[in-house]
Amino acid sequence: MSASSNDAPAQIDPSSLMRIKNLQLRAKTVVEGFYNGLHRSPFHGFSVEFSEYRPYTLGDDPRTLDWKLFARSDRYYIKRYEDETNRRCYLMVDQSKSMGFGSLDYTKADYTRTLAATLAHFLTQQRDAVGLMTFDRKVNEFIAARHRPGHMNRLLGSLDQSFVGSGTDLSEPLEQLAALVSKRGLIILISDLLAPIDMLRTRLAYLRSRGHEMIILRVNDPSEIEFSLPQAAMIRDMETGKELYIDPEVAKAQYQANFKEHETQLIAICESLGIDLTQMVTNQPMDEALYQLLSLQTRRSRGPQRGGSLSAAARGAAT
């Protein structure tokens, strides 16, 4: 899924992006850059497939042709009707205390809310109905999926609230979302996934059994992957407050082995359930999440296929 160096679109460095104070402007900046880059990437041509247009085919009403688009592209497209394009998408955004960690000038929570706003902006432009659930140990806020004037502002208002957070418990939020969302749709879970594997397997399987498509964006700070602790120190668990003395020379190998084992099990679960799992590292551009959405839409248009692997581009970034 990665582009060659000559074809790859220009990507926005997160540290530069985070200097933009306005959350909506951050989201628009990423999406506009992504659209511009599509024309220079291996995904060229798929963008129309994922928009409110579809190619004209024999038998379509010529009155539905978009002549302005024809003038720009020299190809015939017709506008899809609302019921053809609209789907329900829910963003599940982790606001637990562990998301407040960051070794950069911003935290995982800052990156995650920007990522969620970017996805909301992108999906809204595709005329999808977008909903939001924020959570830590419990559900903090639930906004039903809508596509109407003013709804995007409500989503951004919720995402832009000051970060508080408590401990993580994905079990209750995943269970509540399954209960609240009766109609099939797309669920995008954005979290560091610091949760027991067995619980994740059970709850994710239940959501999939109800017919929902799922994308999981696992957000980690680079120091969580590399375990870049410069010297022995007292470390405080952000969620429990417990303090531990850590010697990096002793602990690093075991930590990385545990981290890799957790990742391996997550990949196996997602493979078995047909869930797309992507590693999002907070020092890397957010375009990968948009490519995952585009890739999912492309597979849907070609017929049912099993997803679930950690994307190749993300795997390379994490190693």
Side-chain angles (χ1 to χ4, degrees):
M1 217 169 87
S2 58
S4 68
S5 58
N6 292 331
D7 293 330
Q11 296 178 314
I12 302 169
D13 178 63
S15 61
S16 300
L17 185 68
M18 294 302 174
R19 295 192 186 101
I20 302 173
K21 299 302 181 183
N22 184 278
L23 182 60
Q24 183 175 20
L25 185 54
R26 274 189 236 159
K28 289 177 68 175
T29 299
V30 178
V31 172
E32 288 172 7
F34 173 75
Y35 278 135
N36 291 334
L38 279 177
H39 299 288
R40 301 187 301 276
S41 79
F43 281 88
H44 177 59
F46 293 167
S47 56
V48 172
E49 217 171 18
F50 196 54
S51 75
E52 62 182 301
Y53 299 97
R54 68 173 173 82
Y56 175 83
T57 57
L58 188 64
D60 286 329
D61 187 346
R63 290 175 297 180
T64 62
L65 282 167
D66 190 308
W67 294 106
K68 290 182 179 179
L69 187 58
F70 171 76
R72 295 198 302 270
S73 65
D74 199 31
R75 295 181 181 180
Y76 295 106
Y77 293 103
I78 66 172
K79 285 190 175 182
R80 290 176 173 175
Y81 292 103
E82 185 78 18
D83 59 353
E84 288 184 285
T85 61
N86 190 266
R87 63 176 172 179
R88 289 172 177 81
C89 306
Y90 281 91
L91 302 169
M92 289 191 69
V93 180
D94 190 345
Q95 293 184 330
S96 60
K97 277 189 177 179
S98 65
M99 301 300 289
F101 174 74
S103 64
L104 307 171
D105 294 333
Y106 49 91
T107 65
K108 289 190 290 183
D110 296 326
Y111 186 92
T112 294
R113 67 163 62 97
T114 304
L115 180 58
T118 296
L119 293 169
H121 183 68
F122 183 74
L123 290 165
T124 298
Q125 284 198 335
Q126 304 305 320
R127 298 173 67 185
D128 290 322
V130 185
L132 174 69
M133 174 182 280
T134 60
F135 66 91
D136 43 41
R137 287 189 186 276
K138 56 180 178 54
V139 174
N140 295 327
E141 186 168 7
F142 176 78
I143 300 174
R146 297 282 188 273
H147 184 276
R148 61 189 183 193
H151 186 68
M152 183 66 183
N153 289 336
R154 186 181 177 192
L155 296 176
L156 291 172
S158 178
L159 290 170
D160 213 13
Q161 289 178 7
S162 298
F163 173 79
V164 182
S166 62
T168 306
D169 184 0
L170 274 164
S171 179
E172 181 180 335
L174 287 170
E175 184 177 1
Q176 286 200 30
L177 186 66
L180 289 166
V181 182
S182 57
K183 295 183 179 180
R184 295 179 181 181
L186 171 64
I187 295 171
I188 305 176
L189 172 60
I190 310 174
S191 170
D192 55 15
L193 294 179
L194 297 180
I197 286 292
D198 289 341
M199 181 278 294
L200 286 172
R201 181 184 294 108
T202 301
R203 296 303 184 202
L204 294 175
Y206 181 58
L207 279 170
R208 289 290 285 133
S209 72
R210 295 175 67 85
H212 297 296
E213 294 177 294
M214 286 200 71
I215 292 175
I216 297 178
L217 305 176
R218 188 187 184 196
V219 177
N220 286 113
D221 185 273
S223 67
E224 291 179 309
I225 298 172
E226 301 161 5
F227 194 75
S228 53
L229 188 66
Q231 59 187 13
M234 292 296 296
I235 302 297
R236 177 179 296 163
D237 187 309
M238 295 188 69
E239 299 201 349
T240 66
K242 183 178 179 181
E243 291 189 341
L244 299 170
Y245 177 79
I246 300 293
D247 183 342
E249 292 186 5
V250 175
K252 183 172 184 175
Q254 186 59 54
Y255 171 88
Q256 290 182 328
N258 291 343
F259 189 93
K260 185 63 179 177
E261 176 61 21
H262 190 263
E263 178 185 86
T264 299
Q265 292 184 57
L266 282 173
I267 293 172
I269 290 170
C270 291
E271 285 279 6
S272 67
L273 296 175
I275 296 172
D276 289 307
L277 172 66
T278 298
Q279 176 75 64
M280 303 295 296
V281 186
T282 58
N283 63 352
Q284 295 174 343
M286 299 180 184
D287 305 63
E288 178 67 18
L290 299 179
Y291 278 112
Q292 284 298 93
L293 272 177
L294 192 59
S295 180
L296 176 64
Q297 178 68 14
T298 302
R299 292 198 306 274
R300 288 172 74 231
S301 68
R302 293 173 180 171
Q305 295 181 17
R306 302 291 284 182
S309 60
L310 186 69
S311 68
R315 273 203 308 273
T319 56

